Amino acid sequence: MISMALKDWVSANSNKLLGHTIVQKWGSDLPFLFKVLSVRKALSIQAHPDKDLAKVLHKFMPSAYKDDNHKPEMALAITHFQALCGFITLEVHIVLDNVPEIVQVVGSEVANQVFDTTNADGEDKVKSVMRLIFTQLMSATKEIVTTATTKLKNRLHMENQVRQLTEKEQLVLELERQYPDDVGVMSAFFLNYVKLNPGEALYLGANEPHAYMFGDCVECMATSDNVVRAGLTPKHRDVKTLCSMLTYKQGCPEILKGVALNSYVTRYLPPFDEFEVDRCHLSQGESVEFPAVQGPSIFVVTFGEGIIYTSNLTGDINITQGEVLFVPADTEISITSASELHIYRAGVNSMFFQVP
């Protein structure tokens, strides 16, 4: 048997495997990537560029940004899942009142501009102030950050003796333990702390800050490796690019609950053409069909075992936890569980095919 990478096989047979509509839109490569993440240590504070910025970054810094595509993504929780995502709606001066160490880092001049601004001044003004203070914080020297995070840690440990710390304060202490003296520890105060239950999903558009904190999820994204990092990481940081690219839009991110397709399958549709995700849970002995679609699909088995039958193959295929299957376009499949079975499917967003 000759082995071949999926990318090479798809490229050599793109019209047959991807479907003509997909090849016309995205070429001879899969338009999405699909993975399972198990987060035990916080991942970096980051954002993904839009298409225009991705082209610029790839042109001028190809060693750091290896392609020119955007990277919208979605995380679907398998277990309870925690993340930081987007800027809080709370007036920024309240954060400064409660976290004096941030004032120490950004300086009194910047802090005073924050204190003089309220949400009543309008969205553009609030965004401008958020940009100012976040950029000042993330650009601070290592020495200033180290001094401030040490003071923050010591203060919170002392206050924990006389009061219950907030969830965000508890998270910040955990981040400081994982990444001592990192500016990302303090920046967490400006970001929404999101907790997903199993079966809930979070999607992330271009130029929005986020970081995954803890838990297991399946993650789907457009085909790209463009990540701009600025905190909670030993990897390359590009603070200037990150702070300049963010939208500074405030508000809690939308949590997708999914739409039931039948008794076993729930579909999650983010506002991106490149992908959708189906979550399928079967009890032992149950069966479900996945109708043929115009694009390719990838299935990931996260729990249990079963049997899969496709319209393009003769015979059954046994599947078990940890296996990944590629299903070409226009292929109907059915699955029967041999035990409790959890399986996830990623494919091109079905709404894409409905556009006239």
Side-chain angles (χ1 to χ4, degrees):
M1 180 180 294
I2 300 175
S3 63
M4 178 183 289
L6 176 62
K7 181 179 177 68
D8 295 335
W9 182 52
V10 168
S11 180
N13 303 275
S14 55
N15 277 295
K16 179 180 178 181
L17 299 178
L18 302 182
H20 179 68
T21 304
I22 303 303
V23 174
Q24 276 194 318
K25 173 71 174 180
W26 289 290
S28 60
D29 197 4
L30 275 171
F32 59 86
L33 302 174
F34 199 33
K35 66 176 73 172
V36 178
L37 288 181
S38 185
V39 182
R40 295 300 176 266
K41 182 178 181 180
L43 303 183
S44 59
I45 292 177
Q46 60 184 256
H48 306 301
D50 58 30
K51 287 187 177 182
D52 290 339
L53 179 58
K55 291 178 181 178
V56 173
L57 293 176
H58 177 61
K59 179 179 180 179
F60 292 101
M61 292 181 281
S63 61
Y65 305 104
K66 300 183 183 300
D67 61 80
D68 62 359
N69 198 19
H70 67 165
K71 191 186 177 184
E73 65 185 32
M74 180 172 66
L76 170 55
I78 298 175
T79 65
H80 291 283
F81 193 78
Q82 302 172 23
L84 294 172
C85 180
F87 288 102
I88 57 173
T89 54
L90 184 70
E91 291 186 5
V92 182
H93 69 78
I94 297 178
V95 174
L96 300 189
D97 282 334
N98 293 329
V99 192
E101 294 82 8
I102 293 179
V103 177
Q104 175 187 340
V105 174
V106 303
S108 57
E109 182 177 343
V110 170
N112 287 336
Q113 292 188 53
V114 175
F115 286 122
D116 291 339
T117 304
T118 69
N119 287 338
D121 291 319
E123 182 180 359
D124 289 343
K125 177 63 175 179
V126 172
K127 283 184 178 181
S128 175
V129 169
M130 180 65 82
R131 176 192 293 269
L132 173 65
I133 192 168
F134 190 77
T135 301
Q136 191 78 4
L137 174 65
M138 300 303 290
S139 305
T141 66
K142 182 68 174 179
E143 293 75 18
I144 292 175
V145 171
T146 297
T147 299
T149 53
T150 299
K151 287 184 177 181
L152 173 63
K153 176 182 66 174
N154 293 338
R155 176 176 65 81
L156 291 180
H157 280 307
M158 290 180 60
E159 293 186 9
N160 192 37
Q161 305 302 312
V162 296
R163 68 174 178 89
Q164 177 69 41
L165 297 181
T166 67
E167 287 187 334
K168 180 66 73 67
E169 288 172 333
Q170 294 175 43
L171 173 65
V172 163
L173 283 178
E174 175 59 23
L175 293 178
E176 197 283 330
R177 185 188 68 79
Q178 295 179 12
Y179 297 94
D181 306 326
D182 193 299
V183 69
V185 173
M186 284 184 290
S187 68
F189 282 109
F190 292 119
L191 304 177
N192 295 295
Y193 185 19
V194 179
K195 294 183 176 182
L196 300 180
N197 295 314
E200 294 181 334
L202 174 73
Y203 67 82
L204 305 159
N207 304 324
E208 297 296 342
H210 61 278
Y212 296 153
M213 298 287 100
F214 184 83
D216 300 336
C217 74
V218 290
E219 185 184 36
C220 198
M221 66 205 72
T223 302
S224 173
D225 194 33
N226 280 324
V227 181
V228 184
R229 300 179 180 89
L232 304 181
T233 181
K235 297 181 180 180
H236 172 71
R237 301 183 185 212
D238 191 349
V239 174
K240 183 177 180 180
T241 297
L242 182 117
C243 291
S244 65
M245 70 189 275
L246 298 179
T247 67
Y248 294 95
K249 179 175 64 178
Q250 294 175 276
C252 291
E254 181 181 359
I255 305 301
L256 298 181
K257 305 286 188 178
V259 177
L261 300 185
N262 51 52
S263 300
Y264 311 112
V265 179
T266 303
R267 174 162 294 173
Y268 301 80
L269 287 167
F272 316 121
D273 286 343
E274 285 88 346
F275 60 88
E276 66 186 16
V277 176
D278 292 340
R279 175 181 185 257
C280 176
H281 283 192
L282 297 173
S283 298
Q284 184 174 0
E286 294 179 329
S287 298
V288 68
E289 292 187 356
F290 285 85
V293 294
Q294 297 179 55
S297 299
I298 290 180
F299 287 79
V300 176
V301 184
T302 60
F303 184 82
E305 56 187 17
I307 301 170
I308 187 171
Y309 179 83
T310 78
S311 59
N312 293 348
L313 294 174
T314 58
D316 300 333
I317 303 170
N318 293 320
I319 55 175
T320 189
Q321 179 177 325
E323 292 188 328
V324 180
L325 302 96
F326 175 87
V327 177
D330 304 311
T331 304
E332 179 182 330
I333 75 165
S334 61
I335 300 173
T336 299
S337 57
S339 68
E340 183 180 353
L341 180 65
H342 298 177
I343 189 166
Y344 294 83
R345 170 196 164 268
V348 173
N349 195 312
S350 55
M351 301 299 291
F352 167 74
F353 300 108
Q354 298 176 21
V355 176

